[in-house]
């Protein structure tokens, strides 16, 4: 093993900052929603870096991109990577660290003249965030065979454009067969996006599992009427019903307790005027729990509440499930490897679940998988103030280097 080998912190940060300039927002952070012009520019930049590092670059019809570094033997590569799309109000680390950390490992190996036994592969997957097109982790889900390419392409986004049209418009789809290459093992470095590591004073999270995710969308249709003249008993108020459901979500989550979380993140009301009873409301509910039975309970109670409310208020309800993923346990041997690598490098380490969704949870369907978390300052993410200290970025990427060498030798 190459125990003394270390990544170059400044080179990693330079790439993170350079990629963060694409879609940069006033005040910091960035907006690179999946399959937009900004995403295209981000892809071009990262693919250019892959070529500079000597990787064999390919992309599949879903726009997933793979940079392969041959080993001394053929066979399935050890893969790392993540995503470069962001939410509309994102930071420069979420996902990007996993891709650029992978490239930094490759450059470190190139400099040291090390060729591993197994091939290595740095990948980035299309539309991990799901903020524009649901579900999240769409590219990696298609890659592992959990969604057909046709269904993915047909998905309509928040702006009523389809994944297929947007893939074609930015030229992101390539010739590589979907679901190739086969993968020996997958490990992803990512910022924690929550407060646990920072509050515990610990540098590295060895991620044992990802919590279950349920995204529901409701559309309520009532009747618009005059806000001053319509007696309360005659109202069919879609706005009231939507807001009552939002309040119910918070009560429900508090009552279930434990790891249960719930969010009404998107909300649209019509006609959105001060003196008109709303005839239409559309909103999303994001429910998550590490315990699938409690997550199911939350989903059922939400449905029952909406049905009772619709009856009482006299409104029509349309409902769609935008995403539904069970909790995902990672491979215990892979978690051990992450923990051992962190310890060998002298970093404090704890085992923990992931609150966010990740491409790794899809790769776990096809190969041994785990993740490496590094602290997020104040636990802030999906926010332009997202920040991880340079020494923590460096620590996580050195753990990645060590785990990849361990797996590839
Ligand atoms: C996606 O990354 C999510 O966890 O919302
Ligand atoms: Mn992410
Ligand atoms: Mn994210």
């Amino acid at each position: 093993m190459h125990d003394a080998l270390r990544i170059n912190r400044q080179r990693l940060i330079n790439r993170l900052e350079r990629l963060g300039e694409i879609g940069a927002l006033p005040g910091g952070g960035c907006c690179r929603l999946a399959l937009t012009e900004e995403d295209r520019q981000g892809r071009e930049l990262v693919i250019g870096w892959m070529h500079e590092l000597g990787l064999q670059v390919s992309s599949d019809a879903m726009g997933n991109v793979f940079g392969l570094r041959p080993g001394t033997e053929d066979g399935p590569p050890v893969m790392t990577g993540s995503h470069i799309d962001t939410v509309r109000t994102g930071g420069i680390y979420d996902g990007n660290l996993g891709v650029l950390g992978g490239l930094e490992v490759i450059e470190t190996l190139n400099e040291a003249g090390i060729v591993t036994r197994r091939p290595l592969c740095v990948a980035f997957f299309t539309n991990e965030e799901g903020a524009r097109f649901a579900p999240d982790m769409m590219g990696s889900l298609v890659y592992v065979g959990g969604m057909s390419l046709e269904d993915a392409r047909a998905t309509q986004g928040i702006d009523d454009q389809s994944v297929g049209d947007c893939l074609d418009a930015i030229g992101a789809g390539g010739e590589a067969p979907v679901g190739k290459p086969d993968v020996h093992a997958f490990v992803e470095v990512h910022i924690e996006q929550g407060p646990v590591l920072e509050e515990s004073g610990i540098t590295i999270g060895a991620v044992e599992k990802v919590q279950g995710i349920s995204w529901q969308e409701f559309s309520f249709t009532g009747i618009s009427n005059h806000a001053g003249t319509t007696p309360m008993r005659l109202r069919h108020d879609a706005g009231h019903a939507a807001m009552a459901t939002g309040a119910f979500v918070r009560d429900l989550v508090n009552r279930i307790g434990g790891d249960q979380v719930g969010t009404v993140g998107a909300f649209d009301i019509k006609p959105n005027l001060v003196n008109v009873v709303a005839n239409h409301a559309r909103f999303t509910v994001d429910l998550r729990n590490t315990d699938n039975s409690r997550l199911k309970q939350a989903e059922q109670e939400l449905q029952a509440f909406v049905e009772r409310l619709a009856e009482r208020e006299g409104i029509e309800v349309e409902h769609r499930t935008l995403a539904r993923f069970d909790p995902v346990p990672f491979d215990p041997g892979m978690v051990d490897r992450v923990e051992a690598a962190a310890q060998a490098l002298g970093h404090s380490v704890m085992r923990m679940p992931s609150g966010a969704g990740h491409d790794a949870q899809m790769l776990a369907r096809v190969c041994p998988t785990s993740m490496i978390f590094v602290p997020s300052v104040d636990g802030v993410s999906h926010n332009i103030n997202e920040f991880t200290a340079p020494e923590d970025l460096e620590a996580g990427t050195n753990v990645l280097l060590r785990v990849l060498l361990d797996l590839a030798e």
Side-chain angles (χ1 to χ4, degrees), residues 301-336:
E301 289 199 36
L302 175 62
Q303 280 300 338
F305 176 86
V306 167
E307 280 164 29
R308 285 196 307 272
L309 179 70
E311 170 99 28
R312 198 174 69 219
E313 190 69 22
I315 56 165
E316 298 291 319
V317 176
E318 275 179 68
H319 165 248
R320 285 198 300 157
T321 296
L322 300 178
R324 181 63 171 84
F325 301 115
D326 288 351
V328 176
F330 284 143
D331 180 85
M334 288 289 290
V335 182
D336 288 347

Coordinates of all heavy atoms in Angstrom, one line a residue, residues 301-336:
E301 N -51.1 8.2 7.3 CA -51.9 9.2 8.1 C -52.1 10.5 7.3 O -53.1 11.1 7.4 CB -51.1 9.5 9.4 CG -51.2 8.3 10.4 CD -50.9 8.8 11.8 OE1 -51.3 9.9 12.2 OE2 -50.3 8.0 12.5
L302 N -51.1 10.8 6.5 CA -51.2 12.0 5.6 C -52.3 11.8 4.6 O -53.2 12.7 4.4 CB -49.9 12.2 4.9 CG -49.8 13.3 3.8 CD1 -50.2 14.7 4.5 CD2 -48.5 13.4 3.1
Q303 N -52.4 10.6 4.0 CA -53.4 10.3 3.0 C -54.8 10.4 3.6 O -55.7 11.0 3.1 CB -53.3 8.9 2.4 CG -52.2 8.8 1.3 CD -52.5 9.7 0.1 OE1 -53.7 10.1 -0.1 NE2 -51.5 10.0 -0.6
A304 N -54.9 9.8 4.8 CA -56.2 9.8 5.5 C -56.6 11.2 5.9 O -57.8 11.6 5.7 CB -56.1 8.9 6.8
F305 N -55.7 12.0 6.3 CA -56.0 13.4 6.7 C -56.5 14.1 5.4 O -57.5 14.9 5.5 CB -54.8 14.1 7.2 CG -55.0 15.6 7.5 CD1 -55.5 16.0 8.7 CD2 -54.7 16.5 6.5 CE1 -55.8 17.3 9.0 CE2 -54.9 17.9 6.8 CZ -55.5 18.3 8.0
V306 N -55.8 14.0 4.3 CA -56.2 14.7 3.1 C -57.6 14.3 2.6 O -58.4 15.1 2.2 CB -55.2 14.5 2.0 CG1 -55.7 14.9 0.6 CG2 -53.9 15.2 2.3
E307 N -57.9 13.0 2.7 CA -59.2 12.5 2.3 C -60.3 13.1 3.2 O -61.4 13.5 2.7 CB -59.3 10.9 2.4 CG -58.6 10.3 1.2 CD -58.3 8.8 1.4 OE1 -59.1 8.2 2.1 OE2 -57.3 8.4 0.7
R308 N -60.1 13.1 4.5 CA -61.2 13.7 5.4 C -61.3 15.2 5.1 O -62.5 15.7 5.1 CB -60.7 13.5 6.9 CG -60.9 12.1 7.4 CD -60.8 12.1 8.9 NE -59.6 12.8 9.5 CZ -58.5 12.2 9.7 NH1 -58.3 10.9 9.4 NH2 -57.4 12.8 10.1
L309 N -60.2 15.9 4.9 CA -60.3 17.3 4.7 C -61.0 17.6 3.4 O -61.8 18.6 3.3 CB -58.8 17.8 4.6 CG -58.6 19.3 4.4 CD1 -59.1 20.1 5.6 CD2 -57.1 19.5 4.1
A310 N -60.7 16.8 2.3 CA -61.3 17.1 1.0 C -62.8 16.9 1.1 O -63.6 17.7 0.5 CB -60.7 16.1 0.0
E311 N -63.2 15.9 1.8 CA -64.7 15.7 2.0 C -65.3 16.9 2.8 O -66.3 17.4 2.3 CB -64.8 14.4 2.9 CG -66.1 14.1 3.4 CD -66.8 13.0 2.6 OE1 -66.1 12.3 1.9 OE2 -68.0 13.1 2.5
R312 N -64.7 17.3 3.8 CA -65.2 18.4 4.6 C -65.3 19.7 3.9 O -66.2 20.5 3.9 CB -64.4 18.6 5.9 CG -65.0 19.3 7.0 CD -64.1 19.3 8.3 NE -62.9 20.1 8.1 CZ -61.7 19.7 8.6 NH1 -61.6 18.5 9.2 NH2 -60.7 20.5 8.4
E313 N -64.2 20.0 3.1 CA -64.1 21.3 2.4 C -64.8 21.3 1.1 O -65.0 22.3 0.5 CB -62.6 21.7 2.3 CG -62.3 23.1 1.8 CD -62.7 24.2 2.9 OE1 -62.8 23.9 4.1 OE2 -62.9 25.3 2.4
G314 N -65.1 20.1 0.6 CA -65.7 20.0 -0.8 C -64.7 20.4 -1.9 O -65.1 21.2 -2.7
I315 N -63.6 19.8 -1.8 CA -62.6 20.1 -2.9 C -62.2 18.8 -3.6 O -62.3 17.7 -3.0 CB -61.3 20.7 -2.3 CG1 -60.7 19.9 -1.2 CG2 -61.6 22.2 -1.9 CD1 -59.3 20.3 -0.9
E316 N -61.7 18.9 -4.8 CA -61.1 17.7 -5.5 C -59.6 17.6 -5.2 O -58.9 18.6 -5.1 CB -61.3 17.9 -7.0 CG -62.7 18.1 -7.5 CD -63.5 16.8 -7.4 OE1 -62.8 15.7 -7.7 OE2 -64.6 16.8 -7.0
V317 N -59.2 16.3 -5.1 CA -57.8 16.1 -4.8 C -57.2 15.2 -5.9 O -57.7 14.2 -6.3 CB -57.6 15.3 -3.5 CG1 -56.2 15.0 -3.2 CG2 -58.2 16.1 -2.3
E318 N -56.0 15.7 -6.4 CA -55.2 14.8 -7.2 C -53.9 14.6 -6.5 O -53.4 15.5 -5.8 CB -54.9 15.5 -8.6 CG -55.9 15.3 -9.6 CD -55.5 16.1 -10.9 OE1 -54.5 15.6 -11.5 OE2 -56.1 17.1 -11.2
H319 N -53.4 13.4 -6.6 CA -52.2 13.0 -5.8 C -51.2 12.2 -6.7 O -51.6 11.3 -7.4 CB -52.6 12.2 -4.6 CG -51.5 11.5 -3.9 ND1 -51.4 10.1 -3.9 CD2 -50.4 12.0 -3.3 CE1 -50.2 9.8 -3.3 NE2 -49.7 10.9 -2.9
R320 N -49.9 12.5 -6.6 CA -48.9 11.7 -7.3 C -47.8 11.5 -6.3 O -47.4 12.4 -5.5 CB -48.3 12.6 -8.4 CG -49.1 12.8 -9.6 CD -48.2 13.2 -10.8 NE -47.6 14.5 -10.6 CZ -46.4 14.8 -11.2 NH1 -45.9 14.0 -12.1 NH2 -45.9 16.0 -11.0
T321 N -47.2 10.3 -6.4 CA -46.0 10.0 -5.7 C -44.8 10.3 -6.6 O -44.7 9.8 -7.7 CB -45.9 8.5 -5.3 OG1 -47.0 8.3 -4.3 CG2 -44.6 8.2 -4.6
L322 N -44.0 11.3 -6.2 CA -42.9 11.8 -7.0 C -41.7 10.9 -6.8 O -40.8 10.8 -7.8 CB -42.6 13.2 -6.7 CG -43.7 14.2 -6.9 CD1 -43.2 15.6 -6.5 CD2 -44.1 14.3 -8.4
A323 N -41.5 10.4 -5.6 CA -40.3 9.5 -5.3 C -40.7 8.7 -4.1 O -41.4 9.1 -3.2 CB -39.1 10.4 -5.0
R324 N -40.2 7.4 -4.1 CA -40.4 6.6 -3.0 C -39.2 5.5 -2.9 O -39.1 4.7 -3.8 CB -41.7 5.8 -3.0 CG -41.9 4.9 -1.8 CD -42.0 5.8 -0.5 NE -42.4 5.0 0.7 CZ -41.6 4.3 1.5 NH1 -40.4 4.2 1.2 NH2 -42.1 3.7 2.5
F325 N -38.3 5.7 -2.0 CA -37.2 4.8 -1.8 C -37.2 4.3 -0.4 O -37.2 5.1 0.6 CB -35.9 5.5 -2.1 CG -35.8 6.1 -3.6 CD1 -35.8 7.4 -3.8 CD2 -35.9 5.2 -4.6 CE1 -35.7 7.9 -5.1 CE2 -35.9 5.7 -5.9 CZ -35.8 7.0 -6.2
D326 N -37.1 3.0 -0.2 CA -36.9 2.4 1.1 C -35.6 2.8 1.7 O -34.7 3.1 0.9 CB -37.0 0.9 1.0 CG -38.4 0.4 0.7 OD1 -39.4 1.2 0.8 OD2 -38.5 -0.9 0.5
P327 N -35.4 2.7 3.0 CA -34.1 2.9 3.6 C -33.1 1.9 3.0 O -33.5 0.8 2.7 CB -34.3 2.6 5.1 CG -35.7 2.8 5.3 CD -36.4 2.4 4.1
V328 N -31.9 2.3 2.8 CA -30.8 1.5 2.2 C -29.7 1.2 3.1 O -29.0 2.2 3.5 CB -30.3 2.2 0.9 CG1 -29.2 1.3 0.3 CG2 -31.4 2.4 -0.1
P329 N -29.5 0.0 3.5 CA -28.3 -0.3 4.3 C -27.1 -0.5 3.4 O -27.2 -1.0 2.3 CB -28.6 -1.7 5.0 CG -29.6 -2.3 4.0 CD -30.3 -1.2 3.3
F330 N -25.9 0.0 3.8 CA -24.7 -0.2 3.1 C -24.0 -1.4 3.5 O -24.3 -2.0 4.5 CB -23.8 1.0 3.2 CG -24.2 2.3 2.4 CD1 -24.1 3.5 2.9 CD2 -24.8 2.1 1.1 CE1 -24.5 4.7 2.2 CE2 -25.2 3.2 0.4 CZ -25.0 4.5 0.9
D331 N -23.1 -1.9 2.6 CA -22.3 -3.1 2.9 C -21.4 -3.0 4.1 O -20.6 -2.1 4.2 CB -21.5 -3.4 1.6 CG -20.7 -4.7 1.8 OD1 -21.2 -5.7 1.5 OD2 -19.5 -4.6 2.2
P332 N -21.6 -3.9 5.1 CA -20.8 -3.7 6.4 C -19.3 -3.7 6.1 O -18.6 -3.0 6.8 CB -21.3 -4.9 7.2 CG -22.6 -5.3 6.7 CD -22.6 -5.0 5.2
G333 N -18.9 -4.6 5.2 CA -17.4 -4.6 4.9 C -16.9 -3.3 4.3 O -15.8 -2.9 4.7
M334 N -17.8 -2.6 3.6 CA -17.4 -1.4 3.0 C -17.3 -0.3 4.1 O -16.5 0.6 4.1 CB -18.3 -1.0 1.9 CG -18.2 -1.8 0.6 SD -16.7 -1.4 -0.3 CE -17.1 0.2 -0.9
V335 N -18.3 -0.4 5.0 CA -18.3 0.6 6.1 C -17.1 0.4 6.9 O -16.4 1.4 7.3 CB -19.6 0.5 6.9 CG1 -19.6 1.5 8.0 CG2 -20.9 0.6 6.1
D336 N -16.7 -0.8 7.2 CA -15.5 -1.1 7.9 C -14.3 -0.5 7.2 O -13.4 0.0 7.9 CB -15.2 -2.6 8.0 CG -16.2 -3.3 9.0 OD1 -16.9 -2.6 9.7 OD2 -16.3 -4.6 8.9

